[in-house]
Amino acid sequence: MDSDDGSDAYGSDIEQQKQWEVGEPAISSTTSFDAYFLHTSARSQTSSNVFSSRVLPLTAEEYAKAIAACLPSHVDSPLIKMQRTGPWDMSTAFQRYARELVEGFNLLFYGFGSKRVILNKFATDCLSKKGHVIVVNGFQPNISLKDVISSIERVPGVLSTPSSGGSTEQRIYDFFAEATHDPLRRHLYLVVHNIDSPAMRSPKIKSVLSFLALNPNIHLIASIDRLNAPLLWSASEIIARKLPPHSPRDARSVVPKRGFAWLWHDLTTLASYDFELAYADRSSIAGAAALSTGGRSARQDLAAGGTTSGGSLSETAVMHVLAAVTAKARKLFALFATKQLENVEAASDNVTNLEQYGLAYDTLFSAARTAFIATNDTALRSLLGEFRDHGLILSATQGGPGGGETLWIPLRKERIAKILQSMADE
């Protein structure tokens, strides 16, 4: 019997070998353990084609041209392109807004879409009949407190009013505080587009606006477009209320509080932000991808201090970095920026390459040691490291290997001067 069993096993092996020889499929089972490692060892099929490297970002000119081509030719008025959402028609809404201003509130409009056209129409059709109207385009990157104050001072009589506190904003406050008792003095309506923009978020502008906003005869109408804009103000500033004076003498003697007395309104228009984006930096449109890919001569623009201002580098970004570094690092940056600004101003107005106006490393080290900022090479390179990592300071070796190192800030002289002024005001 054993021999029979052995012959059967031998015969089955021969039969299986014949199947393999003729190419018939053999049944095999793989365990889950083997299947897992077989799957994980397979090569990833992820594509190496990055979208930003295949499609270069648009420049400001290309963006404006593309937007202009998409707009319908039959649209003549911006109001036709904009549909206000809300329970009332535009005329009724304007009357409601005007009444709320009379009751002592300031208006803050939020919602998706540009609100510039509707607020300008509100100022033209309604507010201009009640008093002086000043429109502040907060989305302009170069807007400053001086521009706002200068516009208010153009109101007849403001400059001739004596100030009880000596400051310009106090004189403006005193002038309009007496409008209730002087029929010749009209109210002031301050329309601020994008009050949450980086330029309008400076401490000085916020302080002056919060001071004037609680004047009973100064009315603030503003718009916001950023999700976290309500975090710009404290709870006390938001819920503050105006206290109308009973007499001109009271208006001057009472020390006013600071706040905004906001009344919130949804002004969703779904309109494009073309006008607001027209004032943005090319860097905000081109993005850092152009710098990393070298597209559209971004690196040349960076070295020349062109309109890209170093890719995504801006005054706000510089101030954020300076706020996070040590006091010695800030002193070093101020010293470096002052030296480069002197070199640029001493040259001709046509500056094409900021690298040639930078500082040699040895020159910077000597100046830093004289100012007691860094007494050795290690300390100086440690302070420069933070600025190098964020792109605030660039460097290049002159004359090939072994040559001297040149450092420079990739910003034009106007922006460097503005940053130095902001650092001096802090």
Side-chain angles (χ1 to χ4, degrees), residues 324-338:
V325 299
T326 61
K328 278 194 173 183
R330 288 194 293 271
K331 290 181 180 179
L332 176 64
F333 186 86
L335 174 65
F336 189 11
T338 302

Side-chain angles (χ1 to χ4, degrees), residues 97-379:
Y97 299 156
R99 183 59 186 175
E100 291 170 349
L101 293 174
V102 173
E103 294 297 328
F105 294 98
N106 295 314
L107 304 182
L108 185 65
F109 295 93
Y110 63 94
F112 186 80
S114 175
K115 293 162 278 293
R116 185 185 65 88
V117 175
I118 289 185
L119 293 185
N120 285 347
K121 183 174 178 59
F122 176 49
T124 304
D125 297 351
C126 185
L127 300 181
S128 60
K129 303 175 183 178
K130 301 176 179 295
H132 304 283
V133 178
I134 294 178
V135 178
V136 179
N137 292 325
F139 47 79
Q140 292 184 353
N142 57 349
I143 191 71
S144 64
L145 177 61
K146 182 179 179 181
D147 298 329
V148 179
I149 295 298
S150 300
S151 300
I152 299 177
E153 288 180 338
R154 294 193 185 99
V155 175
V158 173
L159 292 177
S160 60
T161 301
S163 174
S164 59
S167 61
T168 304
E169 54 267 23
Q170 185 66 50
R171 180 174 66 247
I172 296 173
Y173 187 96
D174 294 341
F175 176 81
F176 288 101
E178 299 181 359
T180 305
H181 312 280
D182 188 351
L184 298 179
R185 299 190 181 185
R186 308 174 71 190
H187 289 209
L188 174 65
Y189 296 91
L190 196 59
V191 181
V192 182
H193 298 298
N194 294 99
I195 197 174
D196 56 339
S197 66
M200 299 298 296
R201 292 201 299 260
S202 65
K204 279 195 171 184
I205 294 183
K206 286 179 59 179
S207 177
V208 171
L209 289 181
S210 64
F211 177 66
L212 299 178
L214 291 188
N215 188 306
N217 301 318
I218 296 179
H219 310 282
L220 184 59
I221 302 96
S223 65
I224 57 176
D225 287 291
R226 289 165 174 79
L227 182 62
N228 295 324
L231 300 177
L232 295 174
W233 309 288
S234 63
S236 59
E237 290 177 332
I238 293 177
I239 65 177
R241 292 295 177 262
K242 299 183 179 182
L243 298 176
H246 298 285
S247 66
R249 180 173 298 178
D250 293 339
R252 291 176 176 269
S253 61
V254 175
V255 178
K257 299 186 297 182
R258 294 181 184 270
F260 290 93
W262 289 129
L263 191 60
W264 302 67
H265 282 285
D266 181 8
L267 193 62
T268 299
T269 63
L270 304 180
S272 60
Y273 293 94
D274 295 331
F275 191 83
E276 291 85 342
L277 290 177
Y279 292 89
D281 254 352
R282 282 182 57 190
S283 59
S284 63
I285 298 176
L291 182 63
S292 61
T293 58
R296 306 186 190 277
S297 301
R299 294 187 182 274
Q300 286 78 1
D301 291 341
L302 171 61
T307 53
T308 58
S309 301
S312 58
L313 190 61
S314 62
E315 295 95 337
T316 305
V318 172
M319 296 307 298
H320 280 305
V321 175
L322 292 176
V325 299
T326 61
K328 278 194 173 183
R330 288 194 293 271
K331 290 181 180 179
L332 176 64
F333 186 86
L335 174 65
F336 189 11
T338 302
K339 295 290 186 182
Q340 178 172 321
L341 188 61
E342 292 175 355
N343 294 341
V344 174
E345 290 178 346
S348 61
D349 295 336
N350 187 17
V351 178
T352 59
N353 188 5
L354 285 176
E355 182 178 348
Q356 62 182 341
Y357 301 101
L359 294 180
Y361 178 82
D362 295 337
T363 304
L364 178 62
F365 177 67
S366 177
R369 184 170 53 185
T370 304
F372 298 99
I373 298 175
T375 57
N376 54 69
D377 179 77
T378 304

Side-chain angles (χ1 to χ4, degrees), residues 144 199 202-204 315-316 318-319 322 330 414-426:
S144 64
S202 65
K204 279 195 171 184
E315 295 95 337
T316 305
V318 172
M319 296 307 298
L322 292 176
R330 288 194 293 271
E414 296 83 3
R415 296 196 169 191
I416 294 179
K418 188 175 180 180
I419 292 172
L420 290 175
Q421 183 62 38
S422 300
M423 296 178 67
D425 295 340
E426 291 181 351

